[in-house]
Amino acid sequence: MTQEPTQTQAAAAAPTGAEPAARAWLLTQWMAGVFAVLLAAGMALSYADARQNDPLKSPQLAELKQKLLDKPADEQLKQAIRSLDLQVRQHYFVHVWRMRTGVWMLLGAAAVFGIAGAWSGDARKRPPRRRPEAELRLEATLTARRSRWSVAACGAGIGAGLFAAGLAFEPTVPARAPEAGQAPGAVAATAAPANDWATAEEIRQNWPRFRGPDGGAVSPLTNVPTSWDVKTGAGMAWKVPALIGGFNSTITWGDKVFFSGGDAAKREVFCLDAKTGGTLWRQAVANVPGAPAKPAEVPDTTGYAASTMASDGRRVYVFFANGDLAALTFDGKFVWSKCLGPLKNAYGHAASLATWRDRLILQLDQADSEDGKSKLYAFDGRTGQVVWQTPRKVGSSWASPIVIEAAGKPQIITLAVPWVIAYSAVDGAELWRVEGLSGEITPSPVFAGGLVLAVSPSEKLMAIRPDGQGDVTKTHVAWTLEENVPDVTSPVGNGELVFGLTSSGLLTCLDAKDGKKVWEHDFEMDCHTSPTIAGGHVYLFGEKGLAVVVEAARQFKELSRTEMGDSFHASPAFAQDRLFLRGVTNIFCIGTTNR
Amino acid sequence: MSPSSIECGTRNAGGGLASPVRAAGHARLASRLPRAVLLVLLLCFAALAALAEPKFPPPDFSETSHQIPATTVPGARAIFLQYLDVGVLAAALGMATWLVLGKRSRRWVLVLSIFSVAYFGFYRKGCVCSIGSLQNVALALGNGGYALPVGVLAFFALPLVFALFAGRVFCAGVCPHGALQDLVLLKPVKVPTWLESGLNVLPFAYLGLGVLFAATGSSFIICQYDPFIPIFRMSGRALMVLSGVGFLGLGLFVGRPFCRFLCPYGALLKIAGSVAKWGVEITPDDCSKCRLCEEVCPYGAVRQPEYGQPGPEALRQDRRRLAWLAVLLPVLAVAGGWLGGRFSHTAALVHPTVSLAERYAREGDKPPKAGAPADEILALERARQNPKGLEAEAAAIRDRFRMGGRLFGAWVGLVIGVKLFSLSMRRQRVEFEADRGACLACARCIDFCPHEVKRRRVNRSPAPARGTLQVT
């Protein structure tokens, strides 16, 4: 049955006021639309203008900056760059303001446009036609049936989606309670390899690299000898011939002492018994894959074995100036070897190796900075594969890198003219850099009292806070010392005091906080061996064989002087309450023998 | 306009359901289409302009005295302001209840919508919102160590409590998401009822998914993929900004597409609203079945009356169908549970710990690529420090996911079963009524009811309709 219209409907749908209202809303809608279009056009123009005058790509600014590279001290040029920089920034921020304001206005106009459109439509709304009940009943039945199918289809779609997603991935790490049919040992089969590196405590108990655990030349030992007599043997464990030439220092791991040596004809690794000095094994590093038949010539003043070995507690690593790099077990068996040579270094490669976890860190700075040959490498200690390598735009350098934990990150600190650069040990990404090095960089950096100490030979000693990012030259240099600056040897610091030694034997004690000089003493001896702190004492070894021990304190106090009867270039290693030192002709072990 | 034109529908020559009115509607739609397209383009342009803002580097010169400010994280909103938000929410809900059930005014609901979009949307940046708060509640239920803020709990509970008594007044004009969509609705196009029924399942599935990820501490996906938050904040990931604009563009023609076919909180409100004590009453008098309310409701929430009694054969068919569905209901729940269990393998990857453990198991022994600093590499490095611990933690999370996945699947199966059951039931309606579960309480139908219009003209003051909440 079709229902007839009622008086109420007629009354409700009467046109009183409806049409004028609809027209008013329509007019409003048009006005809002025109306004929005004009506004959008203006914004588009502003956007195009900003794209064209991108402050980041301003050719004038780029040109001026290029000129500044040629004339870095030109103040007028700097001022011009500043003015132009300010100008493009102002232009940019005006654009940003325009766009932000425009977006709000555009949204407002769109809202008015939409509301007016909807209400103008509402004002014209009319009731639909009447329809027979039978037709409506049939339609309802059909709709219900279609709806059920629609729900079923939607459910099937969701189910198929869940099933497909479930098939898309098979977990390697299962839930605690494995499902039927799943091998319980699946986790073990795919489990990650165990940590293959020494713990921090293991490293602390040994001397696994040049200048100790973190390259800081500070031993945690407290019971090390301060006096001994080489002639009588009092206070000495043993002294054995050095067997081979080389300027590298000894390292220790457990009861083993390692060093390397060699010349153009032969290069070897030696392992001594730390208790007796007896040779446990010697291994020639030869026939290295990729090595040229004849090694590149290296000046005798540096030699083929100036680079000190390193150990990660699982293997020992050696690098020679001809580019041969090798990993050996503690029993002297090769794990892997490769040649990175020939190296382009006028004085020969001298930077020592470092490790981080199971990675071998090698700073291989060569040639001039323009040659692009310098790189920092991280090798997988187990396989020798390059984990990462980071190019360095620097020339040859001879300082050894150190690996420190600072600002929550493992950082590799490197020195080369003109930069102190810190890299992430994880991925080799540069973290921060400080400009200020010049000359031939030989002293290695150290990390003491929360500061990285970097030496520009005979010029200045910089103390840097290692928590920056980018170029922090202007912001993170805590203090600088320009007096009595070391030239060959590396500084040492115990957190409170810093000691620097010049090659003429002038020892200077500084306050680690501000770099102020506390005292200085001239020993008037040639020194190539870097000072080392152990048991609260500073150990110095002169090139002519004089060993001096002084207190690492605010007051100068000399504790002992000993003639060693040898010549020294290498730095000492401290382990097991003893001191291991390589001379030109002998290897010394100073300390008691009853360990 | 003559009375005859009110009921202007006449059968077409073919005897089908098409009518000159519909044809005229199509013509109107065609005439308005350019304007609608223009509006969509404006919205897109606004969004692109928001995206176009580039980052500007600091000055090159470091010897100036300029100190580059350190990056900071915005502080939490002050406690008293959080309580103020709860107070505003409660007041807005009360106001919406009165406007819809007492004053019965579409216009004032619209004003409230504008306020909600401005306050809860643009001023409060859409957070905390009731939609996202259900994840906080799920996380608190799944993780005893998580302290649920009182303000968040209030945002979750208040709209539900109001819905139990007054229907979905929250959706009417308090929820900024819904209000924004309501404001842009230009030319509503009816979604076929059968399609709407199918799509109505999606919010319940999304609700289950959101609860699964939140309760397992994996991710707040409802917030992460909220299409309107980038609009309220005027910034966001490009995909989400465009999805927000896309929903608004769709919302020009389809009434509140997000609320009806995706909003997980809407699913909860639908359940609460369907058992509400009071709800929107379309007419203050006897229904004249003019169908204007059905016509103007853009959300397909007005239900027709039953036309006549079904025959014995139809009743028999109905009973048989219901019996089958009663059997099917547990089957659907079990099947859903099984599928959910399978799905949990993949779903668990959303949890960062499980994802890291999987990556570590596959790539942990491989060296990272040279010189590429990335968070993934750093994460793998962290994993290497304690791989066994990571593996155990990931296994425990997977365990929770498996149980959660089964519950999620069972929930979806139950929803489908209940929905099928519901579509097979006959209602005893004698006039056009708003479906209390589906009705978003926008009050459009009230404004268009001829009886209401007449009553307003006669009285010039609104009076409560039959059976509605007596608010004065």
Side-chain angles (χ1 to χ4, degrees), chain B residues 87-111:
Chain B
V88 173
L89 174 70
L93 284 167
M95 180 66 75
T97 305
W98 179 65
L99 292 176
V100 174
L101 305 187
K103 191 171 174 62
R104 295 166 59 80
S105 167
R106 164 67 191 158
R107 187 148 298 187
W108 282 104
V109 168
L110 207 57
V111 172

Side-chain angles (χ1 to χ4, degrees), chain A residues 129-197:
Chain A
R129 72 177 179 88
R130 298 285 175 165
R131 292 161 60 193
E133 275 192 6
E135 185 183 299
L136 291 169
R137 196 161 50 232
L138 177 64
E139 187 185 70
T141 307
L142 284 173
T143 301
R145 185 184 299 165
R146 285 178 190 153
S147 296
R148 282 192 293 272
W149 279 111
S150 173
V151 169
C154 189
I158 292 173
L162 293 180
F163 187 69
L167 285 181
F169 180 77
E170 198 57 42
T172 311
V173 180
R176 272 179 189 155
E179 290 181 348
Q182 188 176 1
V187 178
T190 55
N195 295 354
D196 192 21
W197 58 79

Side-chain angles (χ1 to χ4, degrees), chain B residues 135-155:
Chain B
Q135 297 166 114
N136 298 74
V137 173
L139 179 60
L141 293 174
N143 179 358
Y146 173 70
L148 180 64
V150 174
V152 176
L153 179 63
F155 264 79

